[in-house]
Amino acid sequence: MSTYKQTCTNLLDLSNSKVTEWLAGFDTVITDCDGVLWIYGNALEGSADVMNQFKAMGKKIYFCTNNSTKTRAELLKKGLELGFRITEEGIISTAHATAAYLKQRNFDKRVYVIGSEGITQELDAVGIKHTQCGPDPMQGQLGEFMAQHLKLETDIGAVVVGFDEHFSFPKMLKAASYLNDPKCLFVATNTDERFPMPNMVVPGSGSFVKAIQTCAERTPTVIGKPNPAICESLLNPKKIDPARTLMIGDRCNTDILLGFNCGFQTLLVGSGIHHLSDVDQWRKSKDPEDKKLIPDVYLPKLGDLLPAIVNSLTGGGSY
């Protein structure tokens, strides 16, 4: 067990020898992407250097994202362009994991997809049939739409919901109608509520999932973080030792909670969604669920770890 279990210890406050000791305590690094490694199209300063140094130290590296809009190949391309030394096998995405989840269950019907081509391309890759993505707008008033335009397909065996910028009333109606059949699977890529941006809030996949969940009166199987299902390919064949695995994230209710659920060590970086002020609130809370969100260690940003790694490799002075 980590010395710093759920203490949110600031690594910048530790001596070089203590950081070196901490670095030696894990063999595998699983990291979130948006808000940790990059924001939108730009790498965060020092993040590629730190991840590449981890790899140089012999640690296994995995990128784990709840972003269902991109395939693993697209995420690989982005990572390589930003300077990260990764392979496609080292990328865990909800779109890929959702396709794998259905494939493992010998799914042989069609999937009704509310999402993007990241999902449909991963379904194609494993030979699963699906509906197409894109706009499905409301045509006329509700009565007219249902009488003249609504067409429900008969071979749908699963509804998959991810991020969909074209989310609409017809899509919700169709999804709930398919899910009225208890045999129809209900799968959510993730339940991230929103993406805060300057002066606005962009709804996340969780907003669409909750709408359909309410309408269908069904609870989905959630593939993405914090559900351990996202790491099924690593945990089941025992490719990694959970106790010697570090989970890095900027969002505590997905990344850090995934770490808690899987028995990983956890590192929160303050370059994204959650900050020390949030952790302080959870520390004061009497709700045991809030305590699960407290990380082991903290850094303002991942790049801040670079001097400590260099020192540990070179046997440098105090940090």
Side-chain angles (χ1 to χ4, degrees), residues 4 26 38 56 65 88 108 138 230 244 255 312:
Y4 307 104
F26 53 88
W38 55 68
T65 178
E88 192 167 320
D108 60 358
M138 187 69 176
I230 189 78
R244 292 189 58 82
D255 306 319
S312 73

Side-chain angles (χ1 to χ4, degrees), residues 161-176:
V161 184
F163 182 79
D164 190 341
E165 61 195 19
H166 300 293
F167 189 67
S168 62
F169 187 91
K171 289 189 178 189
M172 186 158 67
L173 187 156
K174 290 176 184 178

Side-chain angles (χ1 to χ4, degrees), residues 23 61 68 72-73 95 110 118 134 142 164 190 197 211 270 284 286 292:
L23 287 166
I61 304 298
S68 64
R72 288 202 303 171
R110 286 179 83 221
L142 181 58
D164 190 341
N190 66 293
M197 292 176 71
K284 294 170 188 168
K286 291 185 168 59
K292 296 176 182 179

